[in-house]
Amino acid sequence: MSLWSIISHMPPEEFSGLFTEFPHSLRCVLADWLENQPWEFINGSDAFCTSVASGMLSAMLEKLRSAASSDGQQCQILQQVNGIENMYRRDPLRLVSVLRAILDGEKAAVLKRDHHLPLSFHRRQEELKFNVGLQRLQHRVRRIQALRDGPTASLQDPQLKTEAKAPESVSGELPTLILEAVKELEVAKQQVLKRIQIWKRQQQLAGNGAQFEENLAPLQKRCENLVEVHFQLHQQVMGASAELGAELVPRLRERLNEVLSSLVKSSFLVEKQPPQVLKTQTKFQASVRFLLGPRLLKASAKPYMVRAEMVTEKQARELALSAYSSTLSESTGEIMHNVVALETNPTSGTCCANFKNVLLKKIKRCERKGSESVTEEKCAVLFSTSVALTASNLSIHLQVLSLPIVVIVHGNQDNNAKATVLWDNAFSEIDRVPFVVAERVPWDKMCDTLNLKFMAEVQTTKGLLKEHYFFLAQKIFNDYSASLEDFQSRSVSWAQFNKEILPGRGFTFWQWFDGVLDLTKRCLKSYWSDRLIIGFISKQYVCKLLSTEPDGTFLLRFSDSEIGGVTIAYVIRGKDGSSQVENIQPFSAKDLSIRSLGDRIRDLGQLRNLYPNTPKDQAFGSHYNKEQTGKDGRGYVSTAIKMTVERERDQHPQSAAGTLPGPPPALMFNLPMLQPEGLQPVPSPMCPPAPFCPPPIPTGYPTAESSINVMVTNNLGSSFPSTSPMLSPSLPMDPPLPRCEDLTFRNPL
């Protein structure tokens, strides 16, 4: 998103004071072209700044005249363009100052309203800043060359004409100019290294689902351009050794070599990361890329080989503290097929080593800290190689670490390993000591992380709402008296996230949340994306919401007491005439693979309106599956599995014909995406007194018999139920209503 895309939709009067020296109508014609020019970074008044400003003025005039040729008000625009040219042609730096002030005013207005600028705008500004710095550096190198070649050389470059010096002043100015150029080269190098670190951090956040611009081509171009200037400057230093003196030349060479070494080592990157949860005896892929390889690698009779080895957190820390100058003494695991050639592709201009069939055969565990479990132990893959560089004839050792990896040996460790990776990806800092991460983080950052992970895993554009965060905060902090604002100022610890068992449960907060993720991803994506599932809401809060609603009102929430379950809460009239809120036994992913959630809702006649007041067929009609009737192609009579709940069967005895009453036929039609209103805040999450909520039962689920109902339809249209006894499982906490478990046979207790 550009800055102009926001500005153009804001009231024009907010910017009226900005356009005293530049017409607002021309600002509209220029649109986002204006913010893609480096007005902010032309700060001086020297020949370089004047030359760049003059070029920007010419480009702007050409842009405006081109726009005028396709505009209905061509004459008026051309008059304004001519006025701009007459006003600023002799002083283009004044135009830079005027347009910089306009952009500053627009940025201030957006910040006042939105409190932030678009991320793409920041990225573009950083790119413009680097490009201007590189142009200035190239200008300095040309000026140094012109000083060494004499006054006639200066006259050949328009940017250098005004800077031509008398011969006697050259020897005094040259050392100063070279020192300034080396300093600017070091600044540009730091910008490139920072950009590489940002790319690495974005790659890590992508592991949690963040968007990631993984194209390394722009970054490679930066590195190559800077290395080219480095070689030019190095050549000028060596050529001017007599003017510089024997004492200054070695210092300059050392600084230039440091720049080259830093760029070369930092441009060796892991382009495709290994899996961050890695199971032994499982093949995986990874790739490394040497950005400066196509430019610097010296031709060799034998290809350069890249080796992949497992390292512990301690070994990774030692390598980082030595600036990756030391070599690995011992691998912490045995990796098969771990040596691959570093190959340059002339067509794509890349230099990569692709590991396609790597296998971690076994892992050597190290001593763990305190109560740290196996799934909290982090290691990494170290990729290393030694190469020779063309221009400097220098041999250099390249090393790079992968993102932290948790190695597991059994699938049941996967859940806790993912928690370690999620926490590390979300809360680690750039340039940290491997693999140090905060033990406690602000709750609002935790909310952002959970939302990012949820949307990425489920692959939905519908994220979590503030009401969902409120429920999650109550759950993780075990605090049902605090307000939403109170939670926003709190911090959450790693122990609360995935070490401490939730009160009254047998699992941690993350284990429960990951179960919800898996269920939604596998079975509930479309329902969630249509906002048909409230989901993250407590049973007590549901009682509050539904207690005053008419019979048959229902909503969907994720089970609070089971991992990976979704349940239906609905209002029903009790035998004494009072309203009660009932919860049906949660459905697992296995249940929903047998019969979908939409079809189960259609089966239950007592469900009428999705909270607050949407008829269920209108809300879920597009999610119903078409029921088969008659005979199939082989002549068999079609069958259909129907779901009931015990209370429904008790209240509706079988008819004389032996059939169970079923819901009316569902209407089949497509509906626009529903957007139910957000939950209304409730002062207290506690359950109101009876008769609205059933009293808790301290023991397990009731042992009432459930049955499977297979409705067989004959040619005359009558149905005959077939039943089989089933066993209800025993689960803690106050129970939901037992339901028929489709195709899962049980025996009565």
Side-chain angles (χ1 to χ4, degrees):
M1 179 183 291
S2 65
L3 184 67
W4 174 250
S5 65
I6 301 175
I7 295 296
S8 59
H9 291 90
M10 295 177 68
E13 54 268 19
E14 292 192 27
F15 312 102
S16 57
L18 299 177
F19 297 96
T20 57
E21 298 184 75
F22 192 86
H24 181 263
S25 58
L26 294 188
R27 169 68 185 98
C28 296
V29 172
L30 291 172
D32 55 5
W33 180 90
L34 196 70
E35 67 195 62
N36 289 325
Q37 311 306 312
W39 313 102
E40 182 179 344
F41 309 109
I42 309 300
N43 298 315
S45 58
D46 56 15
F48 169 75
C49 290
T50 303
S51 175
V52 173
S54 180
M56 292 166 66
L57 171 61
S58 298
M60 185 187 74
L61 294 174
E62 183 181 351
K63 173 77 174 175
L64 290 171
R65 289 188 174 113
S66 175
S69 64
S70 59
D71 192 278
Q73 299 178 332
Q74 179 180 8
C75 184
Q76 180 182 354
I77 292 178
L78 287 177
Q79 287 179 351
Q80 292 176 324
V81 169
N82 292 334
I84 291 294
E85 184 173 17
N86 294 333
M87 184 182 301
Y88 296 114
R89 177 58 76 185
R90 292 187 178 182
D91 188 7
L93 289 174
R94 184 183 168 198
L95 173 69
V96 171
S97 178
V98 168
L99 294 179
R100 182 166 59 236
I102 290 175
L103 287 173
D104 287 343
E106 291 176 344
K107 286 189 292 184
V110 174
L111 284 171
K112 182 179 179 181
R113 193 192 72 170
D114 300 340
H115 308 293
H116 66 87
L117 296 173
L119 180 59
S120 58
F121 177 80
H122 286 295
R123 290 176 178 171
R124 181 59 179 153
Q125 291 297 298
E126 187 271 336
E127 183 180 353
L128 291 171
K129 181 179 180 180
F130 175 80
N131 289 339
V132 169
L134 184 64
Q135 291 173 28
R136 179 182 288 277
L137 188 53
Q138 292 168 334
H139 171 78
R140 287 204 188 278
V141 173
R142 291 197 303 272
R143 186 178 172 196
I144 292 170
Q145 181 68 52
L147 284 175
R148 292 181 56 228
D149 291 344
T152 56
S154 299
L155 297 175
Q156 296 174 4
D157 191 329
Q159 286 190 4
L160 303 177
K161 285 182 180 180
T162 58
E163 300 179 86
K165 300 290 182 179
E168 59 270 13
S169 66
V170 171
S171 60
E173 184 183 5
L174 193 58
T176 302
L177 199 57
I178 289 178
L179 284 170
E180 288 176 351
V182 171
K183 183 178 180 180
E184 288 178 358
L185 179 67
E186 290 171 334
V187 170
K189 178 208 72 173
Q190 287 302 122
Q191 288 180 305
V192 170
L193 298 189
K194 181 179 179 182
R195 190 68 193 88
I196 289 175
Q197 290 297 330
I198 291 173
W199 184 90
K200 288 182 175 181
R201 179 66 184 132
Q202 290 173 339
Q203 185 188 48
Q204 185 175 21
L205 288 172
N208 285 357
Q211 290 185 346
F212 175 45
E213 180 53 59
E214 58 185 335
N215 181 18
L216 280 169
L219 201 50
Q220 177 170 318
K221 186 176 180 181
R222 280 197 194 190
C223 292
E224 291 174 341
N225 288 340
L226 201 55
V227 164
E228 191 64 38
V229 175
H230 164 274
F231 286 134
Q232 294 172 3
L233 188 54
H234 187 276
Q235 185 180 8
Q236 296 300 328
V237 169
M238 299 309 296
S241 56
E243 293 89 343
L244 296 173
E247 184 178 344
L248 183 57
V249 170
R251 295 208 307 267
L252 290 174
R253 289 184 62 186
E254 183 180 354
R255 290 171 65 180
L256 289 172
N257 287 339
E258 171 58 28
V259 168
L260 180 62
S261 177
S262 296
L263 286 172
V264 168
K265 290 181 178 179
S266 299
S267 68
F268 191 55
L269 303 171
V270 183
E271 185 173 27
K272 180 181 180 181
Q273 293 284 343
Q276 287 192 264
V277 176
L278 184 57
K279 190 172 179 291
T280 55
Q281 301 296 330
T282 302
K283 290 183 179 181
F284 65 92
Q285 297 182 347
S287 66
V288 293
R289 180 166 169 180
F290 184 24
L291 299 182
L292 288 173
R295 172 66 178 80
L296 295 181
L297 270 188
K298 186 176 183 179
S300 173
K302 293 183 179 180
Y304 300 107
M305 307 304 293
V306 180
R307 178 178 294 274
E309 298 172 284
M310 294 297 298
V311 295
T312 64
E313 182 174 343
K314 180 182 178 182
Q315 290 173 316
R317 188 174 296 120
E318 291 170 351
L319 286 167
L321 294 176
S322 69
Y324 297 98
S325 59
S326 62
T327 55
L328 184 65
S329 57
E330 181 185 9
S331 177
T332 190
E334 184 180 347
I335 303 181
M336 308 294 291
H337 314 297
N338 66 325
V339 179
V340 173
L342 184 63
E343 299 175 324
T344 300
N345 186 329
T347 305
S348 62
T350 59
C351 180
C352 300
N354 297 308
F355 294 81
K356 297 181 178 179
N357 292 295
V358 194
L359 176 70
L360 178 60
K361 192 171 182 181
K362 60 182 179 181
I363 186 73
K364 186 189 299 181
R365 300 289 185 186
C366 61
E367 278 192 34
R368 291 184 290 278
K369 299 169 286 187
S371 61
E372 185 181 72
S373 67
V374 170
T375 54
E376 294 176 82
E377 181 184 334
K378 289 176 276 189
C379 56
V381 177
L382 174 68
F383 299 95
S384 60
T385 187
S386 293
V387 298
L389 306 184
T390 305
S392 59
N393 201 26
L394 176 69
S395 180
I396 191 166
H397 188 62
L398 302 177
Q399 292 180 315
V400 64
L401 282 172
S402 73
L403 291 175
I405 292 172
V406 177
V407 178
I408 61 175
V409 297
H410 195 281
N412 61 13
Q413 298 172 317
D414 181 75
N415 179 276
N416 291 326
K418 286 194 295 185
T420 300
V421 168
L422 180 77
W423 186 279
D424 190 273
N425 286 347
F427 307 122
S428 62
E429 300 289 340
I430 292 180
D431 270 344
R432 63 169 172 175
V433 175
F435 294 112
V436 176
V437 65
E439 283 289 323
R440 183 175 289 274
V441 298
W443 170 244
D444 60 344
K445 288 189 176 181
M446 185 78 256
C447 290
D448 292 340
T449 298
L450 294 175
N451 184 51
L452 189 67
K453 186 67 173 176
F454 187 92
M455 293 176 68
E457 286 289 320
V458 178
Q459 296 185 336
T460 179
T461 58
K462 298 300 191 301
L464 304 182
L465 306 174
K466 64 179 181 179
E467 294 84 5
H468 299 147
Y469 295 139
F470 185 45
F471 165 74
L472 294 174
Q474 290 178 324
K475 193 172 188 69
I476 200 169
F477 293 115
N478 190 32
D479 186 346
Y480 296 92
S481 61
S483 66
L484 181 63
E485 292 71 23
D486 292 335
F487 287 130
Q488 289 176 343
S489 61
R490 293 193 188 182
S491 60
V492 61
S493 68
W494 162 249
Q496 289 171 310
F497 182 66
N498 195 48
K499 285 186 76 72
E500 298 172 357
I501 301 298
L502 293 173
R505 304 290 186 248
F507 43 79
T508 66
F509 173 85
W510 164 253
Q511 289 167 350
W512 172 84
F513 187 83
D514 188 49
V516 169
L517 274 182
D518 184 67
L519 175 70
T520 309
K521 175 175 64 176
R522 293 168 59 185
C523 305
L524 305 176
K525 174 184 174 180
S526 59
Y527 301 93
W528 176 270
S529 297
D530 288 351
R531 289 297 191 201
L532 301 177
I533 300 176
I534 294 179
F536 297 101
I537 181 172
S538 67
K539 185 182 293 186
Q540 292 79 13
Y541 201 174
V542 168
C543 289
K544 276 280 189 182
L545 289 179
L546 297 183
S547 59
T548 57
E549 297 297 326
D551 290 359
T553 303
F554 69 99
L555 57 78
L556 303 170
R557 68 177 187 88
F558 297 122
S559 173
D560 199 32
S561 58
E562 292 186 16
I563 293 178
V566 63
T567 184
I568 303 172
Y570 67 100
V571 182
I572 193 171
R573 188 71 57 183
K575 293 181 179 179
D576 59 355
S578 63
S579 292
Q580 293 183 0
V581 177
E582 300 282 18
N583 290 271
I584 296 175
Q585 183 177 326
F587 308 114
S588 65
K590 181 180 179 182
D591 296 326
L592 299 180
S593 69
I594 297 171
R595 187 158 181 80
S596 72
L597 179 62
D599 290 342
R600 289 171 183 267
I601 290 172
R602 176 172 57 180
D603 291 341
L604 300 179
Q606 64 267 53
L607 305 183
R608 299 188 183 94
N609 295 311
L610 179 66
Y611 178 86
N613 55 7
T614 306
K616 77 172 182 181
D617 288 341
Q618 180 182 338
F620 293 92
S622 62
H623 299 273
Y624 295 159
N625 291 309
K626 185 178 180 180
E627 299 287 0
Q628 293 183 347
T629 58
K631 294 183 179 181
D632 62 16
R634 298 172 298 171
Y636 290 111
V637 176
S638 299
T639 63
I641 300 174
K642 302 290 185 181
M643 190 189 82
T644 62
V645 295
E646 291 297 334
R647 183 181 294 274
E648 181 185 27
R649 298 223 321 265
D650 293 342
Q651 292 181 349
H652 301 283
Q654 293 184 359
S655 65
T659 60
L660 284 172
L667 299 176
M668 300 299 295
F669 48 86
N670 294 322
L671 292 163
M673 182 177 292
L674 298 176
Q675 297 287 348
E677 295 293 325
L679 303 178
Q680 298 298 318
V682 177
S684 170
M686 299 306 294
C687 184
F692 298 116
C693 297
I697 300 175
T699 57
Y701 285 126
T703 58
E705 178 183 314
S706 297
S707 65
I708 187 167
N709 299 293
V710 182
M711 308 303 294
V712 184
T713 306
N714 62 15
N715 292 332
L716 298 178
S718 61
S719 299
F720 304 92
S722 172
T723 62
S724 297
M726 295 181 286
L727 178 65
S728 298
S730 178
L731 294 174
M733 305 306 293
D734 79 336
L737 285 176
R739 54 176 169 74
C740 295
E741 284 292 335
D742 303 330
L743 302 183
T744 303
F745 291 88
R746 302 182 295 187
N747 294 315
L749 289 177

